[in-house]
Amino acid sequence: MNKKVVLAYSGGLDTSVIIKWLSNKGYEVIAYMADVGQESDFAVYKQRALKTGAIKAVVEDLRAEFVKDFVFKALKADAVYENGYLLATALSRPVIAKGLVNIAHAEGAKYVAHGCTGKGNDQVRFEVTVSSLDPSLKILAPVREWELKTRSEEIEYAKDNNIPIDTTKKKPYSIDVNLWGISIESGKLEDPYHEPDEDIYQLTKGIDKASAKPVYIEIEFKKGVPVKLNGKAMDGVRLITKLGKIAGDAGVGRSDMIENRLVGIKSREIYEAPAGWVLYAAHKALESLVLDRETLHFKEMVAQKYAELTYYGLWYTPLKKALDIFIDETQRSVSGTVRLKLHKGTCSAVGRKSPNSLYKKELATYEKGDKFDQSLAKGFIELWGLPYKGSCKRGGYG
Ligand code: ARG
């Protein structure tokens, strides 16, 4: 019987142990590493996977697809989970799962496996995505079932089975990183009253280290997608990388959250998404110029839903697809340029322009050239307030 399994492999302890554990159970493991901008040493990890018993190790560069089909869709939606999370980890799971499924098909494997625990959101995202893409694939989640209950037991298993690992020291945090941002949890952060130590941050400077002078940048969008940084055209991967450096140096992009997981737990997580927060602010600033009031307000509700669907692992679902169509329709006019000021952890849009601007100076001005007919306001207010005349007097505001 074909017992080929494609494993989402990170190169770390858990997934290395999984290679051995599955091999010991008679599976033929293909280690799959998706490059979503985590800057791992893929060549080293490839060797490690093979040494640990994988029959094959595959690295695939998914960065361009990740940015185009996942990150920028969420940006167009203005999706933010619980006011502080730009969904870097959540967005990467469906693209990795899609990669897993493709390799499984190419290799004729009937199984896929991941290294997620049974307490997190990522298991849900991987499995729901895999089963929406190909329900015939069987999913293995060894960490959820195996007998290795603690990290030291895993290290013990690794030693007994000659698995090459980086260090036997307990890692202080659990970290997930990609091009869009970084998620940091566990260790000391499990105390919600404990302020994160400065050295956990990898992409952003602290306020005291950030440059004293403000930095100005300019971002140009085409139909809701950023296409130029400071006047230079560049692809999404490069734009995010360059902007991330500038924003991170200015101390922009941190959040510290207690968030509601899908599995019912509240958890503490620290996020950094320097490029993400600048692009989010810029995109919102441009939308405020070109979208009419009702579309803009409705879109804010959609943003919330979109963030939830992403967080909940419901990327390949009918509602998400329908929302993308709505969002793309709104983005037809979201072209133009935004100027932002980054300073000591803050990011503010200070200028915006667009050929599709709905801002009319002749209507807004309090100076000469006013074309707004103020006499119309009287009748408008009369009818607007008509249903409520005397409502306070009537008590129940009815
Ligand atoms: N809480 C985030 C999410 O569910 C990140 C999960 C992964 N975090 C980590 N530090 N390994 O999307």
Side-chain angles (χ1 to χ4, degrees):
M1 188 189 138
N2 172 351
K3 286 194 87 179
K4 262 193 198 171
V5 52
V6 184
L7 164 70
Y9 181 65
S10 73
L13 176 68
D14 290 342
T15 49
S16 296
V17 171
I18 290 175
I19 292 183
K20 199 67 179 194
W21 192 83
L22 287 173
S23 313
N24 287 345
K25 292 217 171 320
Y27 289 96
E28 291 184 316
V29 183
I30 297 162
Y32 174 67
M33 278 175 278
D35 179 356
V36 284
Q38 68 273 48
E39 295 183 353
S40 292
D41 202 337
F42 293 114
V44 169
Y45 291 157
K46 209 169 164 171
Q47 285 316 310
R48 176 175 297 175
L50 295 170
K51 264 195 212 138
T52 311
I55 58 159
K56 198 168 180 176
V58 184
V59 182
E60 194 177 14
D61 184 354
L62 298 182
R63 288 175 303 166
E65 183 184 357
F66 176 48
V67 169
K68 179 173 163 283
D69 294 341
F70 295 82
V71 171
F72 282 171
K73 280 192 174 168
L75 177 66
K76 288 192 273 188
D78 301 308
V80 180
Y81 187 68
E82 294 187 347
N83 295 316
Y85 175 33
L86 279 179
L87 298 157
T89 299
L91 286 163
S92 74
R93 293 330 188 204
V95 75
I96 298 170
K98 186 166 172 253
L100 271 181
V101 171
N102 288 340
I103 300 287
H105 290 165
E107 297 287 339
K110 301 265 182 290
Y111 299 86
V112 293
H114 62 72
C116 306
T117 75
K119 293 177 76 166
N121 299 312
D122 287 333
Q123 53 174 347
V124 183
R125 297 169 184 149
F126 273 127
E127 295 184 29
V128 172
T129 307
V130 167
S131 76
S132 34
L133 293 169
D134 181 354
S136 76
L137 284 170
K138 292 188 192 63
I139 302 166
L140 307 173
V143 176
R144 232 163 32 199
E145 323 167 353
W146 66 21
E147 58 288 359
L148 307 168
K149 293 291 169 237
T150 62
R151 197 168 173 88
S152 14
E153 280 175 34
E154 275 186 54
I155 293 170
E156 207 57 35
Y157 185 96
K159 279 193 192 143
D160 293 347
N161 287 278
N162 293 320
I163 301 171
I165 49 170
D166 280 335
T167 165
T168 50
K169 269 211 313 230
K170 186 175 166 6
K171 279 218 201 120
Y173 302 103
S174 159
I175 294 174
D176 180 67
V177 49
N178 63 49
L179 202 67
W180 196 227
I182 185 164
S183 313
I184 309 161
E185 67 175 347
S186 73
K188 286 195 256 178
L189 299 170
E190 285 178 2
D191 172 2
Y193 204 71
H194 170 81
E195 180 179 351
D197 300 339
E198 195 52 36
D199 64 7
I200 72 164
Y201 294 103
Q202 304 187 13
L203 307 176
T204 55
K205 283 189 179 162
I207 304 296
D208 48 335
K209 296 265 165 53
S211 125
K213 276 206 201 131
V215 183
Y216 286 88
I217 54 160
E218 218 179 63
I219 296 167
E220 188 178 324
F221 288 85
K222 229 185 204 144
K223 293 190 177 162
V225 171
V227 291
K228 281 188 190 170
L229 172 60
N230 291 332
K232 263 209 187 126
M234 50 188 95
D235 64 58
V237 172
R238 214 168 119 77
L239 190 141
I240 290 171
T241 310
K242 286 218 150 208
L243 178 59
K245 179 89 185 66
I246 300 170
D249 281 348
V252 171
R254 294 181 177 183
S255 28
D256 175 345
M257 295 178 62
I258 299 295
E259 76 190 38
N260 289 292
R261 278 192 199 167
L262 196 42
V263 294
I265 300 170
K266 279 194 190 295
S267 64
R268 168 82 169 296
E269 192 109 33
I270 305 300
Y271 296 107
E272 293 176 281
W277 285 111
V278 176
L279 291 173
Y280 172 77
H283 184 254
K284 294 266 284 184
L286 189 54
E287 286 189 328
S288 71
L289 189 68
V290 301
L291 295 186
D292 66 278
R293 182 182 63 205
E294 294 310 308
T295 305
L296 191 77
H297 291 184
F298 191 80
K299 193 168 176 291
E300 281 172 12
M301 295 191 290
V302 170
Q304 157 103 2
K305 193 72 206 168
Y306 202 94
E308 283 170 7
L309 293 176
T310 306
Y311 191 88
Y312 297 167
L314 301 178
W315 188 262
Y316 290 108
T317 58
L319 177 57
K320 152 73 179 48
K321 187 173 178 193
L323 294 185
D324 273 327
I325 293 169
F326 164 77
I327 290 161
D328 277 341
E329 175 62 27
T330 67
Q331 298 302 291
R332 291 192 331 164
S333 61
V334 186
S335 300
T337 303
V338 181
R339 195 162 170 263
L340 303 106
K341 178 177 172 179
L342 315 182
H343 190 220
K344 293 268 181 201
T346 65
C347 163
S348 354
V350 292
R352 62 292 273 161
K353 59 181 178 185
S354 166
N356 309 322
S357 172
L358 299 178
Y359 177 85
K360 301 224 176 349
K361 183 145 188 274
E362 67 274 23
L363 295 182
T365 187
Y366 287 99
E367 309 290 335
K368 267 221 303 267
D370 184 4
K371 294 229 171 75
F372 187 89
D373 182 351
Q374 299 200 22
S375 69
L376 295 175
K378 189 173 183 298
F380 166 73
I381 297 164
E382 187 64 27
L383 297 185
W384 182 249
L386 188 59
Y388 316 111
K389 274 203 170 167
S391 62
C392 286
K393 255 201 174 142
R394 288 196 294 276
Y397 300 106

